[in-house]
Structures are given as structure tokens and as C-alpha cells.
Amino acid sequence: MADFAEVVAVGLEAGLDLASAALASARSPTVVSGAPWLASRIEASLAEGGGVTPALRGSVDAPGADPADLALLVAAWELSEAVGASASAVTAAAAAAVRDRRAARERTAAVVAGPRASMWLLTALPLAGPAAGALVGVGPTSLYGSAVAALSASIGLILTAVGWCWARALLRRAARAGVTGAGPP
């Protein structure tokens, strides 16, 4: 959507109306590769007497479409129409916002990848114990035959489940969007 919006902004800056700029952008190779459905939806909306914004609103179910990105572009164009702001400037700002949001999602995914891998590793190590015992000839009954060993294994499984729940909650909180910056002093 960012590529689409940037090309639309260039078309608007060159003097095209929104429909012409959006169609030209939707037919560009970069946009076609990411959103092959876009040009046909815009053409259909225009043929029915609608416009570009109804086509985007109706595209939230399209494969690969991000509803938040589509809503941002629709809001930008509606704002431009409502207050008379430059459509090219508003569209360029929306494209920058879409790119910034995607970059933030990618940074978040990179940041939480390490803790997720640690969760899997720390879960797999204790579960690999019986397999390691079998490799050296110690069966599960020898490992867990006593009451103390069975109790320890049970407690270990419970703590592993609690650790997973806790770690997932921490990762969820770390990954969700938050407010940045300090408030007033």
C-alpha cells in the first residue's frame, strides 16, 4: 500500500485527479506484484459510479490487504476532501505512515525472536531428558520409578507450563504498540 500511495501522490502532484492517479498507480508493476487485485477493484468501483475510497473500503478482504493501511489511505483522502488539504501531500504522508508502521512491526518481530527461541530451547531441554536417558540405556521407569522422581517431573512440567504462560504474556505486552515519549514534566 505504501508503494501505491507514493505513486498516487506523484500522480496527484503532476495534476491528475485521484481516480486517474490511483488507476495509474494500481497498474504499476510494483503495486501489481503486491496487490494484483487493486486495479480491477478500482476500475469496478469507478464503473459503478463510486470512487477510489469505496474501492479501498471494499478491499479489506483482499488477499494480502492490510485493513489498517487501507483505512489510513481512505481517511487521508476523506480528510483532503473535507478540509481542502493538498491530496498529494496527504497521500505522501499516509504512505510514510504505512512504511513507518511496517518498519515498526518488523523491528518488533526481530526483538521478540530471541526470547521466543529461548522459550523453545528451555522447554525442549527438560523434555529431551528421557530421550537422552534412552540413548545411554536408562529407561523411563528407572528415571521416574521413585515417588520423588515422579513428583519432581510433575513439578517440572507444571513449572514449564507456568513459565510458558508467563513468557507469552511478557512477549505479548512487549510486542503490542504503546505510547512512547515522556509526558509533561
Side-chain angles (χ1 to χ4, degrees):
M1 283 297 106
D3 291 335
F4 169 70
E6 286 174 346
V7 175
V8 170
V10 169
L12 291 170
E13 189 69 30
L16 295 175
D17 63 338
L18 179 59
S20 300
L23 270 176
S25 177
R27 292 176 181 148
S28 70
T30 305
V31 175
V32 168
S33 69
W37 45 266
L38 188 57
S40 61
R41 291 199 182 200
I42 292 173
E43 288 169 347
S45 179
L46 292 173
E48 294 171 359
V52 177
T53 55
L56 293 182
R57 267 195 211 99
S59 296
V60 294
D61 62 340
D66 184 347
D69 292 348
L70 294 172
L72 180 65
L73 287 173
V74 168
W77 290 327
E78 287 175 344
L79 173 71
S80 174
E81 290 173 359
V83 299
S86 167
S88 64
V90 171
T91 305
V98 168
R99 286 205 190 279
D100 290 345
R101 186 173 37 232
R102 184 179 336 149
R105 280 193 306 258
E106 290 170 357
R107 283 191 305 272
T108 300
V111 166
V112 300
R116 284 186 203 275
S118 295
M119 284 172 50
W120 282 103
L121 178 66
L122 292 174
T123 300
L125 285 174
L127 298 176
L135 285 175
V136 295
V138 180
T141 55
S142 299
L143 284 174
Y144 304 111
S146 71
V148 172
L151 180 63
S152 296
S154 298
I155 291 171
L157 288 173
I158 291 168
L159 289 175
T160 298
V162 168
W164 259 86
C165 291
W166 185 27
R168 286 174 55 104
L170 288 172
L171 285 174
R172 230 183 345 266
R173 286 186 65 197
R176 83 172 170 227
V179 178
T180 58

